[in-house]
Amino acid sequence: LVLVTLSSVAAASAASVAALPELNVIMKHTFAQAYSCKGNYEVSTLSLGPSSAPDFMFNGACGSDTTFDVSFSGDDSGLISLIGNSKDFPIENVSAQAAFNFANVAGKGNTFQQAAPAKTGMTYAILHSSDVVRTLFTVSTVEGCEVPSTPCTIQYAVLSYKTESVVAKSPGFDWSKGNAAPAV
């Protein structure tokens, strides 16, 4: 009975690992249109793993500028860095280390923010975290990313992908809550 249970756990574990994205392989994806321009999660986001939860979103209202968003709701949070022009910063050269400091010079790390302008011919690094997944990936835009109502094509490579489970969590998280001195 123990052998059957262990082999079942091993088979389930192997199946879940097989569903994870392959690291350091450049893939192509096309967003049909921006989320806020008649888009939706199906046509305006990229999900890297077995979950349908988005890791990356092409966004922008019709007639406005476009952005890439990486924070969606609840405990989900992410940061994106516009590294620079794809010719100077090709996706092939974005390692996990380069995602944080492409120049590899102390004090010259990449600058991260919650969203970045979606521009064709640029390379980005993205760190995304939720209660169940933490991932680091890079994106290079190929075409059409400035217009919300048209397709935006990207290349991407996953640099790190981990599924996680929450063992314990401090209560009271609130995105807008400030801080106070401890109660006496």
Side-chain angles (χ1 to χ4, degrees):
L1 181 64
V2 173
L3 290 175
V4 171
T5 303
L6 290 176
S7 65
S8 297
V9 169
S13 178
S16 66
V17 169
L20 297 178
E22 190 174 353
L23 301 183
N24 306 104
V25 175
I26 299 172
M27 306 292 287
K28 189 174 183 180
H29 179 79
T30 300
F31 302 103
Q33 60 201 54
Y35 181 78
S36 295
C37 185
K38 303 177 186 170
N40 57 46
Y41 272 23
E42 186 177 318
V43 302
S44 306
T45 65
L46 172 65
S47 299
L48 299 173
S51 164
S52 62
D55 292 296
F56 191 63
M57 176 184 283
F58 176 51
N59 201 2
C62 296
S64 72
D65 292 335
T66 54
T67 61
F68 290 126
D69 298 342
V70 293
S71 292
F72 304 103
S73 65
D75 286 350
D76 183 295
S77 61
L79 296 169
I80 182 169
S81 174
L82 171 51
I83 298 173
N85 185 296
S86 298
K87 290 179 182 164
D88 297 328
F89 304 97
I91 192 171
E92 293 84 357
N93 294 350
V94 183
S95 64
Q97 186 271 326
F100 292 102
N101 186 331
F102 197 90
N104 197 25
V105 176
K108 301 289 184 184
N110 302 343
T111 302
F112 284 82
Q113 52 198 24
Q114 285 186 308
K119 302 289 183 192
T120 298
M122 296 296 183
T123 300
Y124 304 80
I126 298 95
L127 179 63
H128 182 239
S129 181
S130 70
D131 275 349
V132 295
V133 172
R134 182 175 58 183
T135 185
L136 174 65
F137 59 105
T138 183
V139 167
S140 179
T141 51
V142 177
E143 64 183 346
C145 298
E146 289 87 359
V147 181
S149 60
T150 63
C152 166
T153 301
I154 64 168
Q155 293 180 312
Y156 68 94
V158 179
L159 307 172
S160 175
Y161 190 94
K162 298 175 185 178
T163 59
E164 303 176 327
S165 60
V166 176
V167 175
K169 183 161 97 174
S170 295
F173 174 78
D174 180 336
W175 281 104
S176 59
K177 187 176 183 177
N179 302 302
V184 181

